[in-house]
Amino acid sequence: MMFKNISVLCKVLRRVCACLLAVCALCVISVPGASFVLPVKAETLEEYKAKQNQLKAEESEIKTEISRLKNQAKSEQEKKDKLDAQVSNTKRQIENLNGQINALNKDIIAKNAEVAAKEKELEGIKELFKQRIRSMYVSGQNNELEVILGANDFADFLAKTELLRSVTENDNKLMAQVTEAIAFLNESKSEIEANKSEVSASRNTLKEKQAELDGQIAELQGAISKLDGAIAQENKHVKEIEGDLADISEQIKNLSGRNNAIFEREFKWPVPGYYSLSSPYGYRVNPVSGVYKLHAGIDISGGAIYGKPVVAAADGIVIKASDTGDGYGKCVMIDHGLNNGNRYVTLYGHNSAFNVSNGQTVKAGQTIAYIGSTGNSTGPHCHFEIRVNSSPVDPMQYFRK
Ligand SMILES: [Zn+2]
């Protein structure tokens, strides 16, 4: 009784499943592209991708630091440029003052020459005066009185007295004039010297300022050099990371199978021009046998598909091109070799005729058979399977969406 009930329940479930799958089968799945993306060793790939992300984050952090250092260096450089401008301005001012000092020195030399000339003139006047006085006394006229007494008459006496007076007066006047000129020259020389020491003081202040600015500039230059060094260091680090990233990228590429000898070219869709599925991969009730089991591939169908070429999905070696009565009808199988240690085999069932023979080497896209409905089939279609290490997988998961 129990067994019978279970048996009935199973039958009911099968019917339900059959109905559901029949509905599903009517929903034609459109395939946008016709190229495979091969499976990869997820763990190892994940590891590489995690490392890649970590390095990228590190690189981005360093790049942020580099741009911060560059900004800092730029700001220091701007400060230094300002100080450089101040220094050249100060240097110009110092040069200007040096020019003034030179001109004042020349003035002082000229004034000294003038004073010396005037002093010589004064000496000359003094000498002439002395000589006149001496001649008056020495030539028997020993004193003023003798000069006066030596007069021939009163008129001569008057004349001689007047002469003596006028000579003295004239000499005194001349000497006073020259002495005054010398005093004036000395005064203007003093003024020039005062001016010179003022200019020299200004120049010295400027020189001090320049020295201070030079000190600040040297300090800034030191800071800039340090920053440049730090930037170079960080850039070197980025270069290293970029090298590591390139290596990882290469590893990821290899792991993704894009570089494998067999899978380096893109896979071809097995039935060119026909991209509709009448039955997907998965568990269903077989429409011919009525048995609920795995449909291990995809059924590619479409209007007027009978006799259309079936092509090799990738380069490989034909390992079957026969009808062995296992339900696949006239069936072709191709071994594509190893990819990351996994063996890939494709299967094309229900063909009407073969275009290849067992053991033949084929290229991707090469016609291997023609669409038919041999074996357990209800109509012309291509039953296409991908087997990884002998286990069927859903071929659709390898298509680019
Ligand atoms: Zn099928």
Side-chain angles (χ1 to χ4, degrees):
M1 190 65 182
M2 275 282 281
F3 288 106
K4 203 179 179 189
N5 277 348
I6 286 165
S7 174
V8 167
L9 184 63
C10 284
K11 272 185 185 164
V12 169
L13 278 172
R14 270 185 207 162
R15 292 255 163 78
V16 169
C17 286
C19 285
L20 281 171
L21 286 162
V23 169
C24 285
L26 289 173
C27 306
V28 171
I29 299 156
S30 179
V31 181
S35 61
F36 287 98
V37 173
L38 286 151
V40 290
K41 280 182 183 167
E43 297 148 36
T44 323
L45 187 63
E46 282 313 305
E47 276 168 21
Y48 276 117
K49 282 189 172 166
K51 182 72 186 160
Q52 189 182 39
N53 286 338
Q54 186 206 321
L55 283 174
K56 276 182 180 170
E58 211 176 305
E59 183 186 35
S60 137
E61 223 170 84
I62 292 168
K63 279 185 175 171
T64 306
E65 176 64 5
I66 288 172
S67 92
R68 191 189 69 77
L69 289 171
K70 276 186 177 168
N71 280 339
Q72 207 180 324
K74 196 183 155 204
S75 131
E76 299 287 310
Q77 187 60 50
E78 277 165 5
K79 277 189 215 161
K80 186 181 166 277
D81 288 348
K82 270 184 196 162
L83 290 181
D84 281 340
Q86 279 187 48
V87 165
S88 28
N89 187 32
T90 305
K91 276 183 179 167
R92 264 199 305 279
Q93 287 181 48
I94 289 169
E95 270 168 36
N96 182 28
L97 292 180
N98 277 337
Q100 284 184 41
I101 288 166
N102 282 342
L104 290 170
N105 277 337
K106 272 180 194 160
D107 283 356
I108 289 165
I109 289 164
K111 289 290 170 199
N112 279 337
E114 279 181 58
V115 168
K118 283 287 172 194
E119 276 171 349
K120 205 175 170 191
E121 198 186 329
L122 184 61
E123 283 308 308
I125 293 164
K126 278 181 180 168
E127 196 50 44
L128 278 174
F129 181 73
K130 274 185 206 159
Q131 278 172 14
R132 263 201 294 278
I133 298 294
R134 211 174 289 128
S135 67
M136 278 191 269
Y137 287 79
V138 169
S139 60
Q141 302 162 339
N142 282 327
N143 50 42
E144 226 177 12
L145 190 65
E146 276 182 53
V147 175
I148 295 159
L149 292 178
N152 298 329
D153 50 24
F154 191 65
D156 187 31
F157 169 77
L158 279 181
K160 277 191 169 135
T161 313
E162 181 53 27
L163 176 72
L164 199 64
R165 196 190 56 80
S166 82
V167 163
T168 312
E169 206 173 72
N170 199 36
D171 282 344
N172 278 341
K173 212 170 156 189
L174 256 176
M175 281 189 283
Q177 269 175 8
V178 173
T179 306
E180 202 183 319
I182 288 168
F184 180 75
L185 283 170
N186 278 328
E187 201 180 306
S188 76
K189 194 177 89 174
S190 297
E191 266 171 40
I192 292 166
E193 272 170 350
N195 195 2
K196 183 187 150 183
S197 60
E198 216 172 277
V199 171
S200 293
S202 300
R203 185 192 59 180
N204 292 341
T205 306
L206 281 173
K207 274 188 170 171
E208 273 167 31
K209 188 182 161 192
Q210 193 198 328
E212 201 182 297
L213 287 170
D214 282 343
Q216 286 175 21
I217 286 167
E219 224 169 85
L220 282 169
Q221 189 53 59
I224 290 165
S225 297
K226 260 189 194 166
L227 287 167
D228 284 347
I231 289 166
Q233 192 62 34
E234 296 293 7
N235 275 330
K236 201 180 147 202
H237 198 172
V238 167
K239 272 243 161 66
E240 281 165 11
I241 288 176
E242 276 170 356
D244 288 350
L245 278 172
D247 288 348
I248 285 174
S249 193
E250 189 65 24
Q251 291 291 350
I252 287 171
K253 212 171 141 193
N254 287 339
L255 284 172
S256 300
R258 309 308 293 174
N259 257 1
N260 185 280
I262 290 184
F263 299 113
E264 65 188 350
R265 288 171 288 277
E266 290 200 326
F267 274 32
K268 302 283 187 205
W269 181 249
V271 190
Y274 290 85
Y275 303 109
S276 299
L277 302 189
S278 53
S279 185
Y281 171 93
Y283 280 88
R284 67 167 191 180
V285 172
N286 187 287
V288 177
S289 64
V291 178
Y292 180 75
K293 65 166 199 173
L294 178 70
H295 179 228
I298 52 172
D299 291 343
I300 302 161
S301 61
I305 197 171
Y306 189 92
K308 292 289 185 300
V310 175
V311 303
D315 293 357
I317 295 167
V318 176
I319 53 169
K320 181 183 179 181
S322 58
D323 186 346
T324 48
D326 53 6
Y328 285 117
K330 289 184 175 175
C331 177
V332 175
M333 285 173 79
I334 299 171
D335 185 344
H336 302 289
L338 292 171
N339 183 48
N340 288 321
N342 297 314
R343 180 167 295 276
Y344 282 76
V345 169
T346 51
L347 180 151
Y348 317 73
H350 312 305
N351 302 295
S352 59
F354 297 111
N355 199 42
V356 290
S357 52
N358 203 3
Q360 188 178 331
T361 300
V362 290
K363 290 274 167 200
Q366 183 178 334
T367 300
I368 51 169
Y370 299 96
I371 296 282
S373 192
T374 55
N376 293 340
S377 172
T378 53
H381 73 284
C382 173
H383 172 88
F384 177 67
E385 286 184 18
I386 296 178
R387 293 177 183 177
V388 181
N389 301 324
S390 302
S391 297
V393 292
D394 182 358
M396 296 308 286
Q397 70 181 297
Y398 304 119
F399 291 122
R400 254 184 248 269
K401 288 283 186 310

